[in-house]
Every structure is written in structure tokens, then in C-alpha cells.
Amino acid sequence: MTLALHGIGVDGGAGTAVGKAVMLARGNIQAEPRMLHHGNVEQEVRRFLQAVESAAAQLREIRRQIPQDTPADILEFIDTHLLMLEDKAISEAPVQLIRDEGCSAEWALQLRRNQLMRVFEEMEDPYLRTRRDDLDHVVNRIMGVLAGEDSDTAREIRGKIVVSEDLTPADTILLHHRGAAGLVTEFGSPMSHTAILARSLGLPAVVGAHGATSLLEPGELLVLDATHGAVLAGCDDRTLDFFRHRIELEQAHRHTLQALKHAPTVTRDGVRITLQANIELPEDVHTVRESGAQGIGLYRTEFLYMNRETLPDEEEHFQAYLEVVQGMGDLPVTIRTLDLGADKQCEHQPEAAGCTNPALGLRAIRLCLKESAIFRTQIRAILRASAMGRVQLMLPMLTNIHEARHARALIDDEIHNLQREGIPLDPEMPVGAMIETPAAAITADHFAELFDFLSIGTNDLIQYTLAVDRADDSVAHLYDPLHPAVLQLIKGVVDACARHHKPVSICGEMAGDPRYLPLMLGMGLKMLSMHPASLLEARQQIRHLEWRELQRHTDHLLQTLDPDRLEQQVAHLSS
Ligand code: PEP
Ligand code: MG
């Protein structure tokens, strides 16, 4: 009998894997109370210290083997764990407990972990909250060594599907390096570091597959279908053949798509479409160039602020932007200003701790206008980068025109300041707005008048229009990109831009989804920005579409309010 587990698929171009399950105990390992006989004490101390050293050696090995294009924040993450391992609070305090109380190494480590956790828990600081997770990662690594889970397991990983409660980014890199065929985790969301890394490493994964570690057996053959977010066990030979054949087709397909890297993105009836890429880190530029993108439509800069104790200064911002701008040559780079808040917290948001509803709180532009010194630092760096290439600045989460005017005034002010200081910049640098709240979409004419371009952020537009938290999987079934209200808002923004002769693009996940792409074109969008892994696929799809046909069908489709009929009609557009 086949067992099917469902989770969230992370498909970075390779969607399917078939391999034996290998279980990795990366969840929180709980030690049982165990006391020693007197004679064993010094032996136990040595066992503990060796385990700490082996854990550090594992991390150093990961650090050494890390691929060149690994995001800098992942390196910092590993360095933090190495520092913690060297900290006396972790490496020496348990030794004291072994000697004074006669605890086993595991129990001493568990007691120390619990003590430190209590200290962290008493503090409301969000920075310390992330340190709590780090502490567990480090403790679990030492526990893993004490439990004898050594590199033998790691050596057996090639071609296997790794099943774990959760994985650190460091583990993800190591597993990729050791040839894992795919990853299944019980926890995690598509926004987690592990998911982001798996996607950029092209490692198929299913995260949030609840029950995976208890329901799946080590050594049994699994099918991982990241495209549909499913893990299958106990498949018969026919099913296995089907998926093995699908892997071959996927490989062949990826190969064919490469031929489109330099091909124009043009519909069958000759309408040119611009495909751009969304990035999170400067290092992503390499993948963007490989994808044949015609620019960067969304650079999410908030990752510059994460996993660190200090705020990035102007020079650090500038160097990051410069790397992207130089990497993209004469192609445009749209840098979005800080969009912290809601599901993207960082250590420098004291306000977030007392926030009752983060998605509706001091998020993105609201935070920037309140903390204008932080905002000005970023604006200055973006303006300086504008002297080096085709830079555009984009503001997130606007809801009213006062915020828009306030932000523009700060930008103008910094243009004057930099000019007075004799620092080169492009005074004509285009400034755009993200339309991702219903308020902004309904009043899009106003925004189109004030800004040089608009970009529709459907991830948030859907969340705010339908009152569905985009990060909460209990209401994920209500998160409906095809809800008529969402479609009408998108169409309204496109029409407003046409009236004002301003460019409009779409940069939410909908843009890179082949199910919705014909509809987006049908609504008049000619510029789409998406994850680089989706780009060549989108180009191929567009080259088979007829622009005029799509317009005709979409006008009709937008009159439909019945969700089932609407879904059928959208499916028909792609056929
Ligand atoms: C969006 O909301 O659609 C968007 C692109 O921004 P983010 O996903 O970063 O909120
Ligand atoms: Mg958004």
C-alpha cells in the first residue's frame, strides 16, 4: 500500500527524486537523566570534550566545503555556531556538572541547555529568540556525536532522501555536497533558510511534511515530488517507473530550456515580454545571469539586516548593491527598500516584540518612515549605486499617498545632500512603488501619477485582500490567487498604469507560476519578475502564446465571479 505525506514543495528546477530514506536526528534530542559510577567521571569528561571537538570539526568541514556562491548569511550562521561551541558556557559548564554532580555527558549537556534556555526565555528580545534556535542547533550537534551518529551516516547519504524533523542551513549544504537526492522535513516553511537554500542549490525538498520521521522507515524507497509537495512510500514498480521516467524528462527538459537562454521572450504574434528575476542576496546574480533574465525586478534587501547584531552601514549597503549592479552590466536592477516586519523579522526591531498583529503593524515603509535614519542610510547607498548602472528604487507596502510623498521627500532630500557632498548619482533614478495592499490597488491612478513605475506584489496583495495570513498553513486553502477580487485589483492597476503611460510589472509568486502566466499576459502585463529557476520555463511558455487571443479571452473571463468556472477558464488559457 502506498503512503502519501503532504507538505510544501520546494522546487528549484529539479522537482522529483527517488531514493532510499535516511533518517537524520536533527530534531531536539532529549537526554535522559543518567548518573555515573565514580570511576567513570574523568572518562566521561573526555567523552564530552571529544564530542564538542568533533562537533566543531564537523562545522569546520562544512565551512571548508561550502560552495563559492553560498549566501554570506549562511556562512555567518555557521560561524555563530562555531563561536558558540567554543564558548565556555557550552563547552565548560557541563564538565563541571559531570565532575560535581556525576551526570552523564548527555545529561550534563541537557541540564546546561535547559539553564541557558530559561535565561533566554526570560528576555523578550527578538535577537535572543534567534539565539535560542542557534543554541538548540549546537546542542543537537554535540548530542548527535555523543549518540554515535557520526560521519558513517553522512557517507551513506549519496543518492538518498534525507528525512529529518528540521535541518539547519549548514546541514542542507553538507547534505547537498554529499550527494543527497532530496530532503524531507517535518517543519519549515517556504520562507525558511533551509527552503531558500534547497531551492538555490536545486535540491528537491518537501518541508512541513508532518509525521515524516515517525511514519517513514529508514531504508524504504521514497518518491519525493517537490512540484506537488508530496512524499510517497511503498510505491509499486509501475509507480516507481513512472517517477524515474519523470526524472529523465525533467533532466532533458532542463537541458532543452538552456537553449532559450539568449532567445527573445516574444509571443507567437510578436509581442515582446520582459522577464526579470527576484533576488535576495548579491550572490544570486550569478544564477540570474545563467537564467537569461532581462534585469532584476525585485531585490529584497531585508536579508542584509538578518542574522547579525549590528545594522548594515551605508558602505555595506553600497558594496552589496554595487556587486549586483556590476554583475548585471547594463541591465536594470530594482532595489526594494527595507521590507522588515510580519514574517520577516530581524534583530533590530524592538517594536516587533510588542506588536499585536505584525502583518498589520509597523512593517516595511511604515517602519522606514518612523526610523528615518535607517531609511536614509539605505536611500543614500541606493543613490550612490545609481551612478554605477541602471538602478531603480522601489518602495514596499504603501497604503496611502502621504507615505508615498513622505518617502519621495526623503529621497529628494538625500539627492540634494549627496550632490552637495559631490558624490556621484543618477538624479533621474526611477522611483517606483509596490502595489501590494488593496488600498493602493484601488487608488492605483494616484500612485501611477506620482511614481515612475509600479510593481504588483501579489503575495501580499492576496494576503491583504482575502484576509489570509500568507505564512499560516491552517488557512492556506483560502489563499486563492484566482479570487475575482484579486484579479480585478490586478487588472485595475494595469489599466491605471496604461492611462498614465507608466510601466507596470508583477513580482509576486504568481508571476513565475505557469498556471497563471497566460492570465497575467491576458490582463495586459508585459513585464514579469520571478525566481530565476522559473524564468526559462516562462520564456518557453510565452513563445507558444498568442497575445491577442489572451486579451480576448481574459476580458471575458474577468466578468466571471463563479470560482469553479473561473478556474476552468484560466486552465483553458494555458491549453
Ligand atoms: C509580494 O508581496 O508579492 C512581494 C513580491 O514581496 P514579498 O514577497 O517580499 O513580501
Ligand atoms: Mg510583499
Side-chain angles (χ1 to χ4, degrees):
M1 203 179 67
T2 308
L3 167 76
L5 287 178
H6 294 275
I8 303 158
V10 178
D11 176 356
T16 315
V18 174
K20 287 190 178 163
V22 55
M23 317 307 267
L24 213 65
R26 281 286 181 269
N28 289 346
I29 304 170
Q30 296 285 329
E32 296 295 321
R34 187 167 68 83
M35 306 314 266
L36 301 168
H37 304 299
H38 275 303
N40 294 346
V41 168
E42 284 314 309
Q43 199 184 328
E44 195 68 359
V45 167
R46 273 198 303 282
R47 192 167 83 89
F48 173 74
L49 291 176
Q50 273 163 9
V52 174
E53 186 37 47
S54 302
Q58 281 181 5
L59 279 180
R60 280 194 291 270
E61 192 200 339
I62 293 169
R63 186 83 172 68
R64 203 172 45 78
Q65 291 189 1
I66 248 165
Q68 288 226 316
D69 53 355
T70 300
D73 60 339
I74 306 298
L75 293 176
E76 279 168 26
F77 189 91
I78 297 167
D79 288 340
T80 307
H81 289 189
L82 266 169
L83 280 176
M84 285 179 101
L85 271 171
E86 282 158 15
D87 195 307
K88 287 189 180 142
I90 290 178
S91 61
E92 282 190 7
V95 170
Q96 215 57 41
L97 281 166
I98 299 172
R99 288 207 174 111
D100 297 349
E101 312 289 334
C103 303
S104 69
E106 288 88 345
W107 183 231
L109 182 60
Q110 178 78 47
L111 289 176
R112 185 62 186 146
R113 177 230 170 247
N114 296 350
Q115 266 172 4
L116 290 170
M117 277 297 173
R118 273 196 296 278
V119 176
F120 285 162
E121 266 151 24
E122 275 160 22
M123 301 181 189
E124 276 294 305
D125 190 323
Y127 170 69
L128 289 173
R129 261 208 303 279
T130 65
R131 292 290 84 104
R132 256 178 359 198
D133 292 344
D134 289 330
L135 175 64
D136 265 339
H137 286 314
V138 168
V139 167
N140 286 332
R141 191 170 288 281
I142 306 173
M143 287 286 196
V145 179
L146 287 169
E149 176 203 287
D150 59 8
S151 47
D152 284 352
T153 325
R155 257 180 248 123
E156 288 166 13
I157 277 167
R158 183 158 300 281
K160 307 251 169 83
I161 294 177
V162 177
V163 182
S164 180
E165 277 192 11
D166 208 354
L167 286 170
T168 65
D171 286 327
T172 309
I173 292 170
L174 193 64
L175 293 171
H176 173 65
H177 229 80
R178 290 187 168 155
L183 309 176
V184 181
T185 64
E186 295 231 11
F187 303 107
S189 73
M191 278 299 287
S192 69
H193 270 107
T194 298
I196 292 168
L197 252 184
R199 200 176 286 119
S200 65
L201 294 169
L203 192 57
V206 174
V207 299
H210 302 291
T213 54
S214 47
L215 296 169
L216 301 175
E217 295 288 335
E220 74 178 325
L221 202 57
L222 301 181
V223 169
L224 191 154
D225 180 353
T227 316
H228 301 100
V231 186
L232 309 178
C235 296
D236 58 25
D237 286 348
R238 271 188 60 194
T239 314
L240 286 171
D241 283 348
F242 170 83
F243 282 104
R244 287 194 175 114
H245 183 56
R246 197 161 97 180
I247 293 173
E248 282 168 19
L249 291 179
E250 280 174 1
Q251 282 165 349
H253 184 56
R254 278 200 299 279
H255 195 73
T256 320
L257 285 180
Q258 278 306 315
L260 291 177
K261 197 171 141 186
H262 302 292
T265 315
V266 59
T267 62
R268 276 205 335 231
D269 48 346
V271 177
R272 245 169 219 283
I273 307 296
T274 304
L275 294 185
Q276 298 186 326
N278 294 351
I279 64 164
E280 279 83 36
L281 297 159
E283 294 84 352
D284 296 339
V285 167
H286 174 71
T287 328
V288 172
R289 296 303 306 225
E290 284 300 298
S291 75
Q294 295 152 281
I296 289 175
L298 169 65
Y299 172 12
R300 292 182 165 102
T301 58
E302 44 282 0
F303 287 88
L304 266 173
Y305 295 77
M306 290 180 181
N307 286 326
R308 52 184 295 159
E309 292 173 39
T310 53
L311 286 166
D313 63 15
E314 184 183 316
E315 191 55 29
E316 195 177 336
H317 275 284
F318 175 67
Q319 290 303 333
Y321 305 153
L322 189 62
E323 191 178 334
V324 176
V325 170
Q326 287 179 337
M328 292 305 292
D330 54 5
L331 295 170
V333 174
T334 312
I335 306 177
R336 179 179 73 184
T337 58
L338 182 59
D339 181 19
L340 279 180
D343 56 334
K344 284 177 286 192
Q345 303 289 344
C346 86
E347 291 76 19
H348 322 282
Q349 271 178 288
E351 300 84 359
C355 188
T356 51
N357 191 339
L360 302 182
L362 199 59
R363 178 186 167 184
I365 192 72
R366 303 168 180 184
L367 179 72
C368 288
L369 294 178
K370 180 160 182 278
E371 304 282 341
S372 59
I374 298 178
F375 193 34
R376 281 178 184 270
T377 302
Q378 183 173 33
I379 294 171
R380 285 173 65 90
I382 297 174
L383 282 165
R384 283 172 56 194
S386 74
M388 310 291 174
R390 284 178 64 192
V391 171
Q392 316 199 110
L393 181 150
M394 183 160 77
L395 302 166
M397 260 295 283
L398 295 160
T399 52
N400 65 58
I401 221 71
H402 304 298
E403 289 166 334
R405 290 204 183 106
H406 187 170
R408 286 218 70 140
L410 290 173
I411 296 166
D412 288 343
D413 204 32
E414 287 308 332
I415 291 178
H416 292 137
N417 288 340
L418 286 167
Q419 282 174 331
R420 241 196 349 258
E421 293 164 39
I423 297 174
L425 58 92
D426 171 11
E428 303 296 316
M429 176 188 72
V431 176
M434 284 192 74
I435 301 296
E436 45 184 354
T437 63
I442 293 166
T443 55
D445 273 293
H446 224 131
F447 288 89
E449 205 181 322
L450 194 69
F451 286 98
D452 301 313
F453 66 93
L454 300 185
S455 184
I456 308 172
T458 46
N459 304 341
D460 278 314
L461 186 61
I462 298 167
Q463 137 161 296
Y464 292 121
T465 306
L466 305 182
V468 175
D469 184 343
R470 63 191 260 192
D472 181 349
D473 61 341
S474 69
V475 285
H477 60 291
L478 298 172
Y479 188 90
D480 178 13
L482 293 184
H483 192 294
V486 173
L487 299 187
Q488 284 171 25
L489 288 176
I490 297 175
K491 179 70 175 139
V493 178
V494 176
D495 291 347
C497 286
R499 280 193 289 278
H500 293 271
H501 309 289
K502 295 285 172 68
V504 60
S505 65
I506 177 165
C507 63
E509 293 298 302
M510 264 181 107
D513 191 322
R515 289 171 300 174
Y516 309 132
L517 196 133
L519 176 64
M520 298 296 109
L521 265 54
M523 289 204 272
L525 280 154
K526 288 186 179 167
M527 200 185 300
L528 302 101
S529 190
M530 59 193 68
H531 191 274
S534 315
L535 209 132
L536 289 176
E537 186 90 49
R539 178 167 293 155
Q540 189 188 48
Q541 191 180 5
I542 290 168
R543 287 161 66 90
H544 289 97
L545 294 170
E546 286 266 351
W547 174 266
R548 271 179 285 276
E549 276 285 288
L550 291 174
Q551 309 301 300
R552 206 163 51 80
H553 289 303
T554 306
D555 283 348
H556 176 69
L557 178 154
L558 289 174
Q559 314 297 322
T560 310
L561 293 180
D562 180 89
D564 296 332
R565 279 191 45 219
L566 195 63
E567 199 171 325
Q568 273 169 15
Q569 290 177 24
V570 171
H572 185 68
L573 281 184
S574 328
S575 60

